[in-house]
Amino acid sequence: MSVPHALQILTFVVLISALTKPLGAYMARVFLGERTALSRVLSPLERAIYRLCGIDAAEEQRWTGYAAAALLFNLAGMVLLYLLQRLQGFLPLNPQGFGPVAPDLAFNTAASFSTNTNWQAYAGESTMSYLTQMAGLTVQNFVSAGTGIAVAVALIRGLARRSADTIGNFWVDLVRATLYVLLPISVVVALFFVSQGIPQNLNRYVQATTLEGTPQLIAQGPVASQEVIKLLGTNGGGFFNANSAHPYENPTPLTNLLEMLLIFAIPAGLTYTFGRMVGDTRQGWAVWAAMAALFLAGLVVALLTEQAGNPLFAQFGIDQSASNLQPGGNLEGKEVRFGIVASVLFAVVTTAAACGAVNTMHDSLLPLTGAVTLFNMQLGEVVFGGVGAGLYGILIFALLAVFIAGLMVGRTPEYLGKKIESFEMKMAMLFVLAGAASILIFTAWASVAPYGVGSIRNPGPHGFSEILYAYSSGTGNNGSAFAGLNTNTAFYNVTIALAMLVGRFLMMVPVLAIAGSLARKPRVPPSLGTFPTDGPLFVSLLVGTVLIVGALNFLPALALGPIVEHLLLTAGHTF
Amino acid sequence: MRVNDRQPAGDSETEGRGTVVRPPRTVPARDADPTRGLEPPLVRTPETDEMKELLQRRLRGTSPWSGKLLRRALRDAVTKLDPRHLVANPVIFVAEIGAALTTAVTLAQLASPGPGRGFGVSFGIQVSLWLWFTVLFANFAEALAEARGKAQAETLRATRKETPARRLSDGREEIVPSSRLRKGDIVLVREGEIIPGDGEVIEGIAYVNEAAITGESAPVLKEPGTDIRSGVTAGTQVVSDWLKIRITADPGESFLDRMIALVEGARRQKTPNEIALTILLVGLTLIFLLVVATLEPFAIYAGNPVSTVVLVALFVCLIPTTIGGLLAAIGIAGMDRVARFNVLALSGRAVEAAGDVDVILLDKTGTITYGNRLAAEIIPVNGASLLDALIAARQSSLADQTPEGRSLRALAEQLGAPSEDGLAPDAEVIPFTAQTRLSGVRQNGHEYLKGAPEAVLAKVGEDAPPDLRVQVERIAREGGTALALALDGRVVGVVYLKDTVKPGLRQRFENFRRMGVRTIMITGDNPLTAATIAREAGVDDVVAEATPEDKIRVIREQQAQGHVVAMTGDGTNDAPALAQADVALAMNSGTAAAKEAANLVDLDSNPTKLLEVIALGKQLLITRGAITTFSIANDVAKYFAIIPALFAGAYPQLDRLDVMRLSSPESAILSAVIFNALIIVALVPLALRGVSYRPAPAAELLRRNLLVYGAGGIVAPFIGIKLIDLIITALGLA
């Protein structure tokens, strides 16, 4: 690895580390209901929203009420988005005159955006009207992210409160997350994006003639406003089909860096929010460290693999090493503007966090890099993960880690002074089972059914990886695709939509149940006999638990996909 | 008052049955109280044979590896194959279904041999056999843990046999069998007779041998009207005098009955922690069911379907059979360790909760101190020599049989007072009275006095010498009691009497601090005295001038802060606090109310045992956690053994994952299955004995146990599977 390469990574890591505390502290103030710098402007607006919607901000909900509100809100959003797609032909802001989206695709897309997945079985510039993009997709980008943050905050409250019945008010958390966190950052960054060349207009597509003399249709639209929340909310749904590889979505190296920072910003910041809200920031940093360790491990494997290049080229005497004249490595499927490091970094970031925006084609990654992106998603999207979802996911793993190993200190396992008992275990296992079942069962179905296998363009293990990736991405609410698989079929649209719904809501409800149960418990004060959850020992235990649970679930599948593909590639077979 | 001069029963008594003549032996009574004129009987009345055998067994303990227990466990392991029984243990139940499935498939293959999928019939037979062994080994572990309890219950049952009772009704005495006694009946028990039911002494004073219950052969004093000496237990024997007893339990509900049920494990219920762990294990089993069930479609996609036998083998290897098979045994063995410690756990929950305790409430008197003031210093004053002071101290106490008097005599002699001069026959003893507040002896022309300083000064007609005043003030400041000594009408010294902390407690409390357990001493003493004792014993906190109601208040306060509180007690007024505490250890000598409210009963009535019970609770939890971690960590190696073997047909390249370089796919799968079965047996001793535990902070324990059972759990199967592979390849089995 050359110095500029190392510097790119170092810059990213340093900036994320530096962002964690200020953003996390700000979010803690927001969710503790304290005054913030923006309160003067936003709190009248906030109060107006409550008045308009008839919300009593002081009234708190039990976990059941909180979960019901979250589910109903997202169901309503999903129905609205479905209708908007189906009816876009009759609605304004449709300069290209797109007709209704097919029912199965509309269902898939509605599920996709309301679950914070942004799996796209369509190409934005040739399917969705501006109204659908703005009022449908972008709105869901905000509120699905807000839902994730709200649930994470509810779980934090469950851990922080003692002997309490309630875990907060979903409506208040949703409004605050959107109004105080997502919107202000989005407004500022969208303006910056425009300055970098990202379009923000409602114009018709531009007809141009290329230097070769062929006509080209250049898509336009309100891109900047959707771009920022696509990343900040770890949504990932591109305005254009090429996503962040498109020059209009990601015009400069600076926007590329900023986009990656936006993806990790809130998931990383929430770890600090967590520490602050439970009264011990070391607890938050321990979770942050576990996430960072998992992220860096994946990044190192992916970088080494991609930079080493394709082993098949070696026999032709092709120089694949990085030098001043060439980036070297495996450039297939990568945007040359970004090169190896910025592409691999983006790929690892976007799969570690449940974002799914891509600036490189994951299908063209070497098998082992593909395995890293797959495994990142299969770990349950807890390596920073989706906004909110990443934090609540890793906290569930923390409960599991503490439960399995915590007995070894001779006490009933406890996390932050909360005893982990049958109910929590039941819900935590449900959480793990839901994810594993969705990925494994749908993949198994698709890999033997003719309508599943029929969509595969590359046979053998690579085709298997494509199916596995689709359901891992859907269940993990990631949304990135391995491509190479035609998923715009009724079977894939419906099953991936189901995977997304299971991966979101069947995992969210157990989390809220745990939050409610933990909130009711007293907090055992720490002593020398307490399992320490703020040191390197716990960090490695947490990393180990995430890895072992992930490996036990998916090692056989990975062995039949990317691992065997890698072994076959080194033996000279390709697919 | 408890006296600590108990001696363990001598070996000569319990060795060699069948000896006819045996010299009588004195056994100091546990509550011997010579000051009240109650001497324990010098010669024990003969015990029943059953009692002797019981005593012997309790002292020796039955080894789980004794032939009788092993045979019984092996037999039980087979009967436990009954699915109706096994369903209570989901992991092993699922393993049994797997074993049945592979057996059926293999038999079908035998019946119609043909080019089936997989590795052939011999492989199928071997896998099936080892899967059955897996289930059997798990059953054996549980049966072995239960066997001890069952054997112990049989011995106890022998003491419960029908005894004739003298029931008193309307002043008449009638002989009825003990089974006809009901609550409220009054019975008379004479010397040498067995007490027919649990009850309360209402008349008479007698020594009772409670060996049947406690395994302790020293007789105990029983008398009416005191909290700690009124309760008697069925099956124990009156060895002197007589007692009139009001029966407090109907037949079948006596303490002995409960004890039998407990050691037998008949009413054993899963503890909350076991339930939570079982949920984890069931969850993991479901996950692996998913993994293995979806593996077949994946394999079909790869063009290499896998046979049922291999899939089941993989499945059983992956599910946590190790901890699933040992979980019950760990729990039973943990209770058994507590029982062997002579503490009766009335629920498994109590032992687990003991591990969670982080605050202990300790009575000062009887628990931390011996409960009486003993001489700690003798200081010469008023210009007298040390020898004069020592002589005055010793001689003035010659006739004083109180613990204070004896301790003063012993201390004086230890410090150098001549000890040959006894109480002369013509000595004049000056007894202690509340009015004079002094006592002493006049003999051989000398007068030796000791007593309250003002009283002694008044008696000898002296003003207080300045150094005496200084000493008396110091002693008062430190919470002690000062006595003045006078020799022939002159003040010669000061005695410092203080409450004495039991030896070794300081170290134990220090250990507790390292474990994160806080000790709170509760006492009726004034704050000054309390603070002195607290400092000396090294407790963390003190509640002085406490009333019985304060105990329950302190417990509630601590619990409200999230602490898990343990306490000991024996009196009826302790009962509400015992009921409130999370872990409550009642003394067997205590009242029925106290024993009822507690969840642990110490048969030896030794309150400091709470400390050991906590350690045993922690050991139980650690053992469970260690084997769980080990079991889950094992799976990594099994994947590396089985996955390459599974797809050897379609993707021979996958053998790069076979880091163990196993000899063949068949051998790889078989080795993993055999390892999975044998590891259960290999861990049985650990499950029964418990993971070694010494008090240490949680972080230290975690680091060590994670290394041994986590990292060890990942590495061990790589080595084990490789070894088994070498052996079965050498034997030509695969």
Side-chain angles (χ1 to χ4, degrees), chain A residues 407-408 410-412 422 425 429 440 444 447-448 460 463-464 523 525 527-531 552-553 556 560 564 567-568, chain B residues 275 280 283 287 294 297-298 301 355-356 513 515-516 561 563 618 621-622 625-626 629 639 647 651 653 698 702 705:
Chain A
L407 279 173
M408 285 195 293
R411 288 250 290 248
T412 298
S422 306
M425 275 332 283
M429 288 319 287
L440 290 172
S447 59
V448 287
F464 181 73
R523 247 179 116 168
S527 71
L528 268 181
T530 311
F531 187 114
L552 293 182
N553 278 318
L560 290 177
V564 78
L567 295 172
L568 290 169
Chain B
I275 293 172
L280 174 80
I287 286 174
T294 55
F298 297 173
Y301 175 91
D356 284 346
R513 215 161 295 124
M515 291 156 67
Q561 290 168 31
H563 292 290
K618 288 199 179 290
L621 293 174
I622 291 174
T629 308
Y639 263 143
F647 301 108
Y651 300 129
Q653 293 82 359
L702 185 66
N705 289 333

Side-chain angles (χ1 to χ4, degrees), chain B residues 179-201:
Chain B
S179 59
R180 280 182 47 202
L181 291 176
R182 290 290 177 271
K183 223 183 253 184
D185 285 353
I186 310 285
V187 294
L188 176 71
V189 188
R190 296 217 167 113
E191 184 173 328
E193 291 174 350
I194 303 285
I195 294 173
D198 287 2
E200 199 181 316
V201 176

